[in-house]
Amino acid sequence: MIGTPAGSKLLAAATERQAALSAERIILRCPRAALPVPLWVQCADSAITARLSAYLGDLQAELIGVPAA
């Protein structure tokens, strides 16, 4: 789930890659002033949850110009 200025977007995907690409498209459409948007990743595989959360957080940080830790 991604919180955007236009409302919450609920995503479902069959693969990790599909989930990442779908979420990325939504985040890229958000105004930069609205970033970082809240997001919540839920998956039966905790490693996938961690990877997607980290990737989407890093993407938002890059978009708003926050240096990598």
Side-chain angles (χ1 to χ4, degrees), residues 7-61:
S8 295
K9 307 291 183 188
L10 180 62
L11 305 173
T15 68
E16 183 176 355
R17 181 174 177 82
Q18 288 174 341
L21 291 174
S22 295
E24 186 177 303
R25 279 192 291 272
I26 291 170
I27 291 169
L28 290 172
R29 285 191 214 127
C30 290
R32 296 300 175 256
L35 298 176
V37 294
L39 56 92
W40 178 61
V41 179
Q42 182 179 4
C43 179
D45 185 328
S46 61
I48 291 173
T49 299
R51 280 193 304 272
L52 282 172
S53 296
Y55 169 71
L56 296 171
D58 289 348
L59 171 65
Q60 292 191 80

